């Protein structure tokens, strides 16, 4: 604040000097005009930042309340995130099922490709074999490394993601359905409170004809955004509703 005021004073001093020099004949009115212009310019910059923040918030409200199933529109939101300095990271998780390894790899690859294509994520981390309720810290600690090697465009496992969020600044984590991220609310809270760079979580349920929800870290942690929905996955029946 203090610094800004002294900046303004300095600018005004410079202005006065310059204006007097250039516009000797009518210093008063021209000075006022120029000062007014500079003032406007300064304030425009401030309000531009405010607008950027504000429009992002509107978007978030919009999606959080809403039933946005429109992928092109969602892509605009993703671009908005990116322009606000977010890194948009996809997360693909696959449960222990009875399929063979090749089938698992094929299914994971198809999930990865779809997420890239649909939601324009920057990169994707994978949990090749974990339970939806399993804690993030124990996921993929022991996993079959050949699976990841055979996947195209997979950045790493859950453990690699946890290392990455340590050095990243602003992350928007994107998963398909709640179970794609976690069904364990306590562990979700742990993840968020211990890893401050995860600012937003996007849950895409548009493949099941439902909305794309955006959750905000602070609002999830202070309870103003309800995370109990993460707990409500009741298996495939719910998906087909
Ligand atoms: C969306 O939710 C916000 C609060 O999260 C609320 O202020 C706003 O009125 C809601 N908008 C609609 C259209 O329901
Ligand atoms: C991030 O969250 C995970 C899961 O809760 C935790 O294991 C990890 O230690 C956290 N990272 C940091 C830097 O605290």
């Amino acid at each position: 604040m203090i610094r800004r005021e002294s900046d303004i004073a300095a600018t005004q001093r410079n202005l006065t000097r310059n204006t007097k020099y250039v516009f000797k004949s009518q210093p008063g009115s021209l000075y006022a005009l120029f000062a007014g212009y500079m003032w406007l310019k300064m304030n425009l910059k401030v309000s531009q930042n405010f607008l950027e923040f504000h429009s992002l918030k509107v978007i978030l409200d919009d999606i959080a309340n809403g039933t946005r199933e429109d992928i092109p529109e969602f892509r605009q939101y993703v671009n908005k995130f990116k322009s606000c300095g977010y890194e948009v990271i996809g997360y693909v998780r696959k449960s222990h099922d009875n399929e063979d390894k090749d089938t698992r790899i094929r299914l994971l690859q198809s999930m990865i490709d779809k997420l890239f294509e649909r939601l324009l994520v920057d990169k994707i981390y994978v949990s090749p074999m974990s339970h939806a309720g399993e804690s993030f810290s124990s996921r993929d600690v022991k996993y079959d490394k050949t699976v990841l090697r055979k996947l195209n465009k997979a950045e790493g496992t859950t453990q690699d993601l946890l290392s990455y969020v340590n050095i990243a600044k602003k992350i928007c984590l994107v998963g398909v359905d709640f179970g794609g991220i976690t069904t364990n609310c306590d562990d979700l809270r742990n993840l968020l409170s211990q890893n401050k760079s995860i600012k937003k979580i996007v849950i895409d349920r548009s493949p099941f004809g439902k909305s794309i929800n955006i959750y905000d870290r602070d609002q999830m942690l202070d309870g103003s955004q309800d995370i109990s929905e993460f707990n409500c996955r009741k298996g495939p029946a719910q998906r087909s509703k």
Side-chain angles (χ1 to χ4, degrees):
M1 220 34 177
I2 292 169
R3 201 172 137 201
R4 191 173 284 175
E5 268 167 15
S6 69
D7 281 352
I8 292 171
T11 312
Q12 282 176 341
R13 269 198 307 280
N14 280 337
L15 278 178
T16 317
R17 217 179 292 138
N18 295 343
T19 322
K20 270 183 187 154
Y21 175 70
V22 182
F23 305 108
K24 242 177 191 158
S25 50
Q26 303 158 302
S29 59
L30 278 169
Y31 166 69
L33 199 69
F34 196 40
Y37 165 72
M38 290 306 284
W39 181 86
L40 200 67
K41 213 171 135 181
M42 225 151 54
N43 277 279
L44 273 178
K45 182 135 198 216
V46 171
S47 63
Q48 201 178 7
N49 290 340
F50 174 75
L51 268 182
E52 203 164 85
F53 170 77
H54 190 68
S55 64
L56 186 60
K57 184 162 178 337
V58 169
I59 287 165
L60 294 179
D61 283 350
D62 200 13
I63 297 190
N65 307 348
T67 47
R68 295 250 172 233
E69 286 154 30
D70 189 351
I71 298 296
E73 208 159 341
F74 184 75
R75 286 180 180 162
Q76 287 176 14
Y77 299 148
V78 170
N79 285 332
K80 190 83 199 174
F81 273 134
K82 291 180 182 174
S83 71
C84 292
Y86 282 85
E87 213 177 332
V88 181
I89 294 186
Y91 183 65
V92 163
R93 191 196 60 76
K94 177 116 189 48
S95 298
H96 303 253
D97 288 323
N98 288 325
E99 76 276 281
D100 58 42
K101 192 164 129 191
D102 286 344
T103 311
R104 168 172 302 271
I105 290 169
R106 190 169 46 74
L107 292 173
L108 280 166
Q109 190 62 59
S110 140
M111 289 158 87
I112 291 170
D113 293 343
K114 278 185 192 145
L115 198 52
F116 265 121
E117 184 190 318
R118 288 159 51 80
L119 300 183
L120 303 181
V121 296
D122 294 317
K123 47 179 148 176
I124 292 183
Y125 287 85
V126 179
S127 181
M129 201 191 279
S130 61
H131 293 294
E134 194 175 335
S135 70
F136 286 99
S137 57
S138 69
R139 285 181 192 181
D140 313 326
V141 172
K142 291 181 200 151
Y143 78 103
D144 182 352
K145 287 189 168 57
T146 57
V147 172
L148 196 72
R149 258 185 250 128
K150 286 199 173 159
L151 290 173
N152 212 354
K153 296 192 291 182
E155 200 69 24
T157 64
T158 309
Q159 296 307 314
D160 300 316
L161 172 65
L162 291 178
S163 314
Y164 185 69
V165 297
N166 261 330
I167 54 167
K169 290 213 169 66
K170 281 160 86 178
I171 286 179
C172 168
L173 193 62
V174 182
V176 176
D177 211 349
F178 296 106
I181 301 277
T182 184
T183 54
N184 183 338
C185 288
D186 288 338
D187 195 57
L188 178 61
R189 248 179 244 112
N190 278 342
L191 176 79
L192 295 173
S193 59
Q194 293 169 24
N195 299 271
K196 295 188 173 59
S197 63
I198 305 177
K199 306 280 187 204
K200 310 280 178 203
I201 291 188
V202 171
I203 300 294
D204 175 24
R205 290 188 300 162
S206 59
F208 319 114
K210 295 189 176 182
S211 60
I212 296 171
N213 294 17
I214 297 188
Y215 294 86
D216 176 80
R217 166 179 198 276
D218 296 337
Q219 292 184 8
M220 283 197 273
L221 285 176
D222 73 14
S224 53
Q225 223 173 3
D226 183 15
I227 63 167
S228 64
E229 264 190 295
F230 280 87
N231 241 335
C232 303
R233 192 176 178 233
K234 293 183 188 74
Q238 197 198 5
R239 294 189 164 197
S240 55
K241 249 188 218 168

